[in-house]
Structures are given as structure tokens and as C-alpha cells.
């Protein structure tokens, strides 16, 4: 397969409601798409990748403009050089094309995803079948942002439960920890519930975090610094509720370190954060072989990334529901046919690739 053309497409998608986390508030998402036009023996197809970098460097040091710059200036030219030298490009080659580009995993992930998508379309193969996934749907969890009041939170949670979501995750931050959890437990009983701090705490908050042990949470996600594993390991020794790592897991090496040092750990796998679906699968395989639970995180993807995440989450080690919700959780209209929740599950796409609807793209 030969890449003929690479395009970066910037979108602007307003959110149905503001999404508030401990690191900021988002009203609009700016997805960045990579579109590759490729040729194999005279047959041309387009491959699509989605970059999950946010507008600001507040979740990771990588952000939208840095990803676009790195793709345009380094990654795409280096991949084309690789192609020139080797005569063709395969998905497994992509990472080898830029061995000296450090970091920028979200940009790398988007390019690898576009190559993979094109390569699979040429084979008429679905991403799920490429991964060896047997499942046809995955349980759908929803992430609930920080709300202006407990009443507002309970209303939003009720709305999602009515929509069929099988697991609720709420964002927490200093001053919004125990009370919201307590209120949800009181009104909705023992629904599957977890919390996500996005690095808002330190070990000085130990006593307050310990209070969460009274509420049978599935997990506490990334309570401490975004690049830390060591202190999370210390914290895990003090809590009964499992610690889940998100921001800290940027590679297979970090996942191994976490699995070896944090008792009872759970790993949130986000393909963009770890540099692509191939590394995401490698982390899954490593954790699965050791009986460590993983689940698939979300980054407000359009249906392009959302469908791919659903396929990944069909692998057997994804034993907890992911942040894989329906398109309408975030957007009034997706750029691909809507991802829908059916009986609490997101069906896994079985076609050889999900394409934006051409006439919907100019809108955004
Ligand atoms: O369902 O797509 C989704 C969003 C899930 O809460 C979610 N994502 O910290 O995990 C997170 C958070 C996030 C969103 C992080 C956007 C960074 C950017």
C-alpha cells in the first residue's frame, strides 16, 4: 500500500452541555482528523484517523496545535520517507518510521490509526476482526462532569440511567468528592459507580480519600499527579477501593511499572494517550495475561474514534465498562452515522471502516 496524499482536517463540534473536570471546562471540542488517500495495485481508498489532543495542554502536555504541527512537520514527512525507502507502508511499520521523535503520542496514534484504517479497507476487513474480537457489543459507561449542585448531579445521573448506561463515572475535585458520591448512593443504591480525579489530589488528602472506601466504588481514577506511579502505589496500600491509572499510563513500559508496583491496580487504556491502537492492544494483552482488569477510556471522540474504541473494548481483558457512550452524550450530530446505545451496550461496528458523511463535514 502506498500513501498518495495526507490531509489534516480540523473540526469544531459544540458539546450538548459543558463538560467540567478538575482541569477545566469544555464547551466545544476540536477534533483533528487525519485522512490518507492510499493506493494498492490501482485500488484507491481513504483511511481515517482521529487525534484526541485537546485544545489546551491541561490533560497532557500534548495539545491540538502541537499535534497538528508535529504531524505536518515531522510524522507525515518521516512516514513518506519510510515509504520511499521501503516501497510501501504497513500499520506495524508506522512507529518505526519516527524512532527519534519523542512523545507526541496522540499525534502518532492518529497517523497510525489512519494507516490501519486504509490498510483494513483494502482487505475489506473490520477493525474488530483484525484485533481478533469475538464480542458483538460492549457495555456502555458514561462520564459525568462536575455539576453546579448535588441536585443537578442527581438529575443528570438519572437521565443517563434512564438512557441505559450501565456504569456511572463522576468527575471529582477538591470540595466535590464525598458528598456527590453519598448523594448518588442514597438515591440510586448500589449502581456500578466510580470516580475520576484527573490528578486533583496529593497524599496530603489521604484521610479524605479514605472516606470513599465506605461507598463500594469500582475504582478511584488518577487521584494523584499525572506523571506519578510511585505515590499511587503508596496510596493503594492505604485504600480498599482499587486505584485506576489513566494519565500516568502513556506506554507499555508505564503499564508494566504500574502493574508491578501498585497493589490491586486497574488500567484505563486510551489508544490516543499510549500512542495508538497497537500499543493499546499490547497493554491489554500484558494486563490480561496477569489478570489485571482494564477498561477503555474516552476522549470525547467523534464516531471515528468511538467505533474504534468499542472494537478494542471487545477484547476479553476489558472486564469493566468503558467510557464508550453514544454519540449524543456529547454531540447533537456526529460526523459519522450515530453511535447508539442499545440495551446498555454499544454495538461493535462490523464494516471495514467508518467514514465521515461527506456532506456533514463542511458543517463543522
Ligand atoms: O466519554 O469520551 C468520553 C469522555 C470520558 O471523562 C472522560 N474523559 O479524564 O478520562 C478523562 C476524560 C477526558 C476527556 C480527558 C477529554 C481528556 C480529554
Amino acid at each position: 500500500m502506498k500513501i498518495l496524499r495526507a490531509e489534516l482536517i480540523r473540526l469544531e463540534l459544540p458539546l450538548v452541555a459543558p463538560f467540567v473536570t478538575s482541569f477545566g471546562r469544555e464547551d466545544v471540542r476540536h477534533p483533528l482528523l487525519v485522512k490518507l488517500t492510499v493506493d494498492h495495485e490501482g485500488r484507491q481508498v481513504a483511511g481515517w484517523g482521529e487525534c484526541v489532543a485537546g485544545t489546551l495542554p491541561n490533560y497532557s502536555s500534548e495539545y491540538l496545535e502541537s499535534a497538528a504541527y508535529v504531524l505536518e512537520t515531522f510524522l507525515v514527512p518521516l512516514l513518506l520517507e519510510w515509504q520511499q525507502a521501503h516501497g510501501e507502508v504497513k500499520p506495524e511499520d508506522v512507529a518505526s518510521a519516527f524512532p527519534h521523535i519523542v512523545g507526541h503520542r496522540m499525534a502518532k496514534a492518529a497517523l497510525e490509526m489512519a494507516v490501519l484504517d486504509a490498510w483494513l479497507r483494502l482487505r475489506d476487513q473490520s477493525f474488530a476482526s483484525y484485533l481478533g474480537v469475538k464480542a458483538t457489543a460492549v457495555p456502555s459507561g458514561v462520564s459525568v462532569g462536575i455539576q453546579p449542585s448535588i441536585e443537578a448531579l442527581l438529575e443528570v445521573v438519572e437521565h443517563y440511567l434512564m438512557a441505559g448506561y450501565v456504569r456511572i463515572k463522576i468527575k471529582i475535585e477538591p470540595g466535590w468528592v464525598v458528598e456527590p458520591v453519598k448523594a448518588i448512593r442514597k438515591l440510586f443504591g448500589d449502581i456500578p459507580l466510580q470516580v475520576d480525579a484527573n490528578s486533583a489530589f496529593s497524599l496530603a488528602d489521604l484521610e479524605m480519600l479514605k472516606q470513599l472506601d465506605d461507598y463500594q466504588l469500582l475504582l478511584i481514577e488518577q487521584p494523584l499527579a499525572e506523571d506519578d506511579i510511585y505515590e499511587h502505589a503508596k496510596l493503594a496500600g492505604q485504600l480498599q477501593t482499587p486505584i485506576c491509572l489513566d494519565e500516568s499510563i502513556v506506554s507499555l513500559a508505564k503499564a508494566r511499572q504500574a502493574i508491578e508496583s501498585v497493589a490491586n491496580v486497574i488500567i484505563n487504556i486510551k489508544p490516543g494517550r499510549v500512542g495508538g491502537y497497537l500499543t493499546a492492544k499490547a497493554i491489554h494483552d500484558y494486563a490480561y495475561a496477569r489478570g489485571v482488569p482494564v477498561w477503555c477510556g474516552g476522549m470525547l471522540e467523534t464516531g471515528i474514534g468511538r467505533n474504534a474504541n468499542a472494537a478494542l473494548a471487545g477484547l476479553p481483558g476489558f472486564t469493566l465498562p468503558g467510557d464508550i457512550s453514544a454519540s449524543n452524550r456529547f454531540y447533537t450530530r456526529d460526523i459519522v452515522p450515530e453511535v447508539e446505545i442499545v440495551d446498555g451496550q454499544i454495538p461493535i461496528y462490523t464494516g471495514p471502516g467508518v467514514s465521515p458523511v461527506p456532506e456533514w463535514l463542511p458543517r463543522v
Side-chain angles (χ1 to χ4, degrees):
M1 157 179 128
K2 275 208 162 153
I3 300 169
L4 304 179
R5 182 182 164 85
E7 291 164 71
L8 297 185
I9 301 171
R10 290 159 179 275
L11 307 178
E12 183 174 300
L13 286 176
L15 300 183
V16 289
F19 186 55
V20 181
T21 62
S22 65
F23 60 81
R25 169 192 162 117
E26 255 184 302
D27 295 275
V28 180
R29 189 78 182 158
H30 292 94
L32 174 67
L33 303 183
V34 178
K35 179 184 180 188
L36 297 178
T37 307
V38 308
D39 176 276
H40 180 66
E41 293 172 355
R43 183 174 168 210
Q44 288 190 11
V45 299
W48 293 88
E50 176 168 354
C51 181
V52 296
T55 320
L56 301 174
N58 52 9
Y59 166 83
S60 58
S61 59
E62 199 174 3
Y63 67 106
L64 181 66
E65 292 305 325
S66 72
Y69 183 85
V70 164
L71 275 159
E72 196 172 332
T73 316
F74 303 113
L75 304 183
V76 171
L78 284 168
L79 188 58
L80 295 178
E81 268 176 37
W82 166 281
Q83 171 170 281
Q84 189 87 29
H86 295 82
E88 62 163 352
V89 168
K90 293 196 292 295
E92 296 78 16
D93 296 338
V94 176
S96 333
F98 21 81
H100 304 301
I101 304 293
V102 176
H104 299 284
R105 294 182 174 89
M106 295 175 185
K108 290 174 179 169
L111 186 54
E112 184 189 87
M113 185 181 181
V115 170
L116 193 49
D117 185 51
W119 194 79
L120 289 171
R121 284 176 202 251
L122 286 170
R123 278 158 189 74
D124 289 317
Q125 189 183 5
S126 73
F127 184 44
S129 113
Y130 169 80
L131 291 170
V133 163
K134 306 266 180 319
T136 56
V138 291
S140 181
V142 66
S143 173
V144 180
I146 292 163
Q147 301 296 317
S149 66
I150 297 286
E151 294 68 42
L153 172 72
L154 295 175
E155 232 172 80
V156 175
V157 170
E158 179 169 26
H159 167 80
Y160 289 135
L161 290 173
M162 301 285 283
Y165 289 103
V166 298
R167 181 277 272 150
I168 301 289
K169 148 170 151 180
I170 63 162
K171 295 287 186 178
I172 56 171
E173 67 176 356
W176 184 262
V177 183
V178 182
E179 286 311 310
V181 169
K182 196 171 166 183
I184 291 177
R185 276 283 177 253
K186 190 166 168 221
L187 193 59
F188 302 110
D190 62 355
I191 57 164
L193 180 65
Q194 63 194 53
V195 296
D196 183 4
N198 288 112
S199 304
F201 300 100
S202 73
L203 284 180
D205 298 303
L206 175 64
E207 288 312 312
M208 187 269 304
L209 293 171
K210 269 187 178 170
Q211 292 180 45
L212 289 174
D213 277 342
D214 293 340
Y215 298 96
Q216 291 80 47
L217 298 176
L218 292 169
L219 55 92
I220 302 175
E221 188 177 352
Q222 198 74 31
L224 309 179
E226 101 289 341
D227 57 353
D228 170 77
I229 291 177
Y230 177 72
E231 291 198 340
H232 281 98
K234 284 189 164 183
L235 182 63
Q238 303 287 316
L239 298 181
Q240 280 152 28
T241 313
I243 297 286
C244 169
L245 290 174
D246 170 7
E247 282 89 331
S248 304
I249 308 299
V250 295
S251 61
L252 175 59
K254 290 290 176 193
R256 291 165 71 167
Q257 206 178 317
I259 287 169
E260 274 165 36
S261 56
V262 183
N264 222 1
V265 74
I266 294 174
I267 310 272
N268 166 334
I269 298 183
K270 284 181 182 164
R273 196 195 59 228
V274 304
Y277 284 89
L278 301 184
T279 302
K281 168 139 189 332
I283 294 175
H284 160 273
D285 294 349
Y286 185 86
Y288 185 48
R290 287 155 187 80
V292 171
V294 303
W295 58 281
C296 184
M299 301 276 282
L300 285 75
E301 287 88 347
T302 70
I304 297 202
R306 201 166 286 277
N307 278 297
N309 287 350
L312 178 73
L315 288 169
F318 286 84
T319 51
L320 291 163
D323 282 344
I324 308 171
S325 40
S327 300
N328 70 8
R329 153 70 185 90
F330 291 108
Y331 304 114
T332 30
R333 200 205 231 177
D334 209 325
I335 55 164
V336 306
E338 301 289 303
V339 175
E340 287 176 341
I341 178 167
V342 184
D343 295 331
Q345 303 217 314
I346 301 292
I348 296 176
Y349 186 73
T350 52
V354 184
S355 308
V357 178
E359 51 282 14
W360 292 355
L361 276 186
R363 246 184 349 107
V364 291

